Amino acid sequence: MQADARGTELILPRAGETLDFGRPVALSMIALLHFLGDEDGAHTVVDRLKEVLAPGSHITLSHVTTDFHSAEVARGADSRYKAGGFTLAPRSRAAFTRFCEGLELVEPGVVLAEEWHPELGEPMPGREEGCTSAIYAGVARKR
């Protein structure tokens, strides 16, 4: 279904037509939350979605950060998104990790995307040593 991520009152009943929320499911929130600012209710959205998940469910998340790049780069990216009518709300590692409160982080926890089990993938060509993706990733499990 296509819907605004903030519309959990529409999303959850529709998803419930297919998913059994009484059993563990996987919720993917890849490259989504950085388009929802705190003023847009980003934490309310995540909290509501976590609330309906059964124990044993997992959430995968990724998020843009400015922890590793200059403020000028961040302002440039923000202005490009705003020109397209989008919000860009990069968050620090600590701010991103708050989305996982009440959940058990799966190892290695919240890390840069390229550090999340790199042994499972191929090295990216042209990737210089020390160059970061500026994207945090994590998987968390509901107890």
Side-chain angles (χ1 to χ4, degrees):
M1 89 184 242
Q2 185 171 344
D4 186 316
R6 296 169 293 186
T8 55
E9 70 286 343
L10 170 67
I11 294 169
L12 290 171
R14 290 281 306 277
E17 293 171 7
T18 303
L19 301 172
D20 179 356
F21 287 119
R23 299 181 59 189
V25 297
L27 172 62
S28 174
M29 301 189 82
I30 302 297
L32 170 67
L33 296 173
H34 50 249
F35 293 114
L36 296 176
D38 292 341
E39 66 282 355
D40 292 321
H43 287 279
T44 302
V45 168
V46 175
D47 289 345
R48 178 66 182 118
L49 295 172
K50 289 189 306 189
E51 182 180 283
V52 301
L53 298 178
S57 295
H58 285 74
I59 299 176
T60 60
L61 308 114
S62 70
H63 203 295
V64 168
T65 185
T66 54
D67 286 353
F68 304 97
H69 299 284
S70 70
E72 293 79 28
V73 171
R75 279 193 296 277
D78 186 46
S79 65
R80 285 190 300 277
Y81 277 105
K82 282 183 181 171
F86 295 99
T87 298
L88 182 64
R91 291 181 174 89
S92 67
R93 183 180 185 280
F96 172 60
T97 302
R98 279 191 50 223
F99 289 112
C100 298
E101 285 180 354
L103 303 172
E104 175 185 4
L105 283 168
V106 174
E107 287 297 323
V110 172
V111 296
L112 288 169
E114 62 270 22
E115 296 172 358
W116 215 93
H117 291 289
E119 71 278 6
L120 299 176
E122 297 292 323
M124 289 178 53
R127 200 84 185 158
E128 307 91 38
E129 186 65 34
C131 179
T132 62
S133 64
I135 297 173
Y136 284 119
V139 175
R141 178 181 180 274
K142 185 170 181 178
R143 295 182 217 125

